[in-house]
């Protein structure tokens, strides 16, 4: 297994996320390579994997997809462990300044996000169409409802639902989205927290926002710019040929082409085990965004939020400008690092601004 030898050896030429390692441990801090890179090396490092079987260096171990989460390995030299909480002494927050009343079970941690009251300052999400999100949804939704916090159904849930009914290109029924909303509502006190539905390019084309608002009485719609911290579209791995064809027909980009006879033959013979389903990248514009938010309000959305990544500073500043002009309730910036396992490994490690930096 790869080991960090130099603390600042952030260029990792061996990563457990792609199953690579290096021949020796004292690798070069500049390149991550063994200081003597030999001609007959029997080891698969990140560079050799990229050279010989490049596709395998792109994603976290495909065999684990759907049953795992994935994180970035890059060491930025500063992380959460470098912070300590500094306690106050001469005041009380969230409780009366009275030693007989100020007992820890009595403290209120209530706050508001996007006008939604929450009991604890936690937003849980977003959990979209990946299997790991689907399989663990009940625990996430019920726990969030009982805690009085906000849980977000991520992108592509209707588009990936084999039982979804789509009429004239618009979703009219999705068993999976309904299940997700109802799992939260069953344990929701009706006051604290909410279940939000996130929408990307394909979701908007399929009318997921209108379906969620009008048929499932969802109050919170979240627009999404970029996938996590990467400014790419969301991706999942599909292990079933018929499903891959269905997703292509629904407008997703599926690689390799599941309708190609040669690809079908190769899949059936086990040459490869899964297809990649990619969604499109949104390219937001100020005017369109403001009009879109006004349109969403007219459809009945009570709260509107925006999820994006910490991209280059000018993009972050422009996002804040548009969001405030459109009077969006809250903007969330993904702090890089990982997720449900279908972000390219080099992008998790090398893109955007980490939350602590
Ligand atoms: S190919 Fe070179 S850099 Fe990679 S493990 Fe072998 S010796 Fe090290």
């Amino acid at each position: 297994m790869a080991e960090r030898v130099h603390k600042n050896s952030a260029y990792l030429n061996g990563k457990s996320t792609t199953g690579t390692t290096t021949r020796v441990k004292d690798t070069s801090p500049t390149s991550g390579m063994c200081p003597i890179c030999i001609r007959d090396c029997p080891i698969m490092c990140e560079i050799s994997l990229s050279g010989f079987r490049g596709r395998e260096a792109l994603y976290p171990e495909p065999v684990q997809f759907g049953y795992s989460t994935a994180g970035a390995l890059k060491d930025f030299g500063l992380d959460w462990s470098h912070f300590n909480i500094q306690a106050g002494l001469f005041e009380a927050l969230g409780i009366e300044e009275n030693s007989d009343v100020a007992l820890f079970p009595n403290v209120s941690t209530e706050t508001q996000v996007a006008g939604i009251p929450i009991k604890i300052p936690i937003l849980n999400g977003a959990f979209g169409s990946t299997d790991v999100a689907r399989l663990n949804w009940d625990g996430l939704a019920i726990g969030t409802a009982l805690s009085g916090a906000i849980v977000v159904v991520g992108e592509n849930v209707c588009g990936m639902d084999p039982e979804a009914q789509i009429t004239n290109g618009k979703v009219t029924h999705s068993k999976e989205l309904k299940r997700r909303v109802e799992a939260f509502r069953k344990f929701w006190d009706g006051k604290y927290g909410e279940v939000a539905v996130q929408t990307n390019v394909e979701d908007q084309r399929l009318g997921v926002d209108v379906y969620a608002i009008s048929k499932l009485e969802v109050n919170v719609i979240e627009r999404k710019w970029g996938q996590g911290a990467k400014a790419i579209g969301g991706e999942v791995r599909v292990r079933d040929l018929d499903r891959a064809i269905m997703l292509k027909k629904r407008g997703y980009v599926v690689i390799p082409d599941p309708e190609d006879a040669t690809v079908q033959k190769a899949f059936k013979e086990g040459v490869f085990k899964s297809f990649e389903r990619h969604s499109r990248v949104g390219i937001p514009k100020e005017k369109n965004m403001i009009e879109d938010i006004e349109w969403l309000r007219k459809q009945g959305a009570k709260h509107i939020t925006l999820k994006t990544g910490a991209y280059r500073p000018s993009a972050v500043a422009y996002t804040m400008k548009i969001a405030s002009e459109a009077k969006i309730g809250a903007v969330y910036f993904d702090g890089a690092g990982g997720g449900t396992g279908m972000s390219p490994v080099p992008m998790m490690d090398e893109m955007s601004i980490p939350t602590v930096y």
Side-chain angles (χ1 to χ4, degrees), residues 80-136:
W80 294 109
S81 73
H82 296 97
F83 292 86
N84 269 28
I85 297 167
Q86 308 303 319
L89 179 62
F90 301 106
E91 59 186 356
L93 299 172
I95 193 79
E96 190 186 326
E97 286 187 20
N98 176 338
S99 298
D100 291 324
V101 179
L103 306 172
F104 73 88
N106 298 336
V107 173
S108 167
T109 54
E110 265 186 59
T111 185
Q112 284 200 357
V113 171
I116 303 161
I118 49 180
K119 274 191 200 160
I120 51 171
I122 289 178
L123 287 105
N124 205 1
F127 307 100
S129 57
T130 52
D131 275 351
V132 71
R134 180 177 61 79
L135 295 170
N136 292 288

Side-chain angles (χ1 to χ4, degrees), residues 9-334:
S9 179
Y11 186 85
L12 295 167
N13 192 19
K15 303 179 187 184
S16 57
T17 33
T18 51
T20 53
T21 188
T22 49
R23 186 176 60 83
V24 296
K25 291 181 180 173
D26 58 338
T27 53
S28 158
T30 306
S31 65
M33 291 175 74
C34 306
I36 303 175
C37 177
I38 58 174
R39 174 189 158 123
D40 54 353
C41 176
I43 304 297
M44 196 63 93
C45 63
E46 198 68 14
I47 292 172
S48 48
L49 182 65
S50 304
F52 287 116
R53 308 199 308 253
R55 293 179 70 83
E56 293 174 37
L58 274 179
Y59 292 102
E61 285 189 64
V63 68
Q64 303 293 349
F65 180 74
Y67 311 101
S68 61
T69 56
L73 281 164
K74 188 165 178 175
D75 180 0
F76 293 94
L78 184 68
D79 60 58
W80 294 109
S81 73
H82 296 97
F83 292 86
N84 269 28
I85 297 167
Q86 308 303 319
L89 179 62
F90 301 106
E91 59 186 356
L93 299 172
I95 193 79
E96 190 186 326
E97 286 187 20
N98 176 338
S99 298
D100 291 324
V101 179
L103 306 172
F104 73 88
N106 298 336
V107 173
S108 167
T109 54
E110 265 186 59
T111 185
Q112 284 200 357
V113 171
I116 303 161
I118 49 180
K119 274 191 200 160
I120 51 171
I122 289 178
L123 287 105
N124 205 1
F127 307 100
S129 57
T130 52
D131 275 351
V132 71
R134 180 177 61 79
L135 295 170
N136 292 288
W137 177 258
D138 279 357
L140 294 162
I142 294 167
T144 308
L146 292 174
S147 307
I150 297 172
V151 70
V152 185
V153 182
E155 60 192 353
N156 296 316
V157 168
C158 294
M160 288 284 287
D161 177 0
E163 296 183 61
Q165 290 165 13
I166 298 171
T167 313
N168 298 326
K170 301 291 178 194
V171 177
T172 50
H173 174 74
S174 167
K175 189 176 174 188
E176 178 60 11
L177 187 59
K178 188 165 182 282
R179 174 186 82 87
R180 296 219 191 177
V181 172
E182 286 176 354
F184 175 87
R185 291 262 167 84
K186 198 168 168 196
F187 290 85
W188 183 42
D189 69 1
K191 182 179 176 192
Y192 291 99
E194 262 292 4
V195 58
V197 172
Q198 188 182 79
T199 49
N200 66 358
V201 174
E202 280 82 3
D203 290 314
Q204 286 182 239
R205 286 184 184 173
L206 285 169
V208 171
D209 38 23
V210 174
Y211 169 68
I213 294 166
S214 62
K215 296 285 186 356
L216 304 179
E217 297 177 0
V218 166
N219 297 317
V220 190
I221 297 294
E222 183 165 297
R223 287 298 194 231
K224 186 168 190 186
W225 291 357
Q227 162 70 9
K230 279 83 63 182
I232 54 172
E235 310 173 44
V236 294
R237 207 162 273 287
V238 181
R239 297 188 174 103
D240 180 89
L241 176 61
D242 291 337
R243 200 149 186 237
I245 293 170
M246 176 198 83
L247 293 169
K248 188 186 170 197
K249 287 192 187 332
R250 286 185 180 177
Y252 288 103
V253 178
V254 182
I255 299 173
D257 182 356
E259 291 183 308
D260 183 314
T262 318
V263 169
Q264 291 185 357
K265 185 168 176 286
F267 181 75
K268 284 173 187 162
E269 287 174 355
V271 176
F272 67 100
K273 306 261 187 262
S274 58
F275 294 86
E276 293 164 17
R277 186 235 63 199
H278 299 260
S279 36
R280 290 168 180 75
V281 185
I283 304 171
K285 300 286 177 219
E286 184 172 3
K287 182 169 172 284
N288 299 355
M289 183 62 186
I290 291 167
E291 286 171 2
D292 176 52
I293 300 301
E294 281 167 8
W295 175 84
L296 261 182
R297 288 202 177 95
K298 281 188 195 137
Q299 301 308 307
K302 295 197 176 80
H303 308 276
I304 299 166
T305 58
L306 172 65
K307 158 93 180 288
T308 186
Y311 307 129
R312 63 182 62 160
S314 59
V316 171
Y318 199 48
T319 299
M320 298 294 277
K321 177 178 180 283
I322 297 175
S324 80
E325 275 173 25
K327 297 191 171 52
I328 288 174
V331 183
Y332 312 134
F333 290 95
D334 191 314

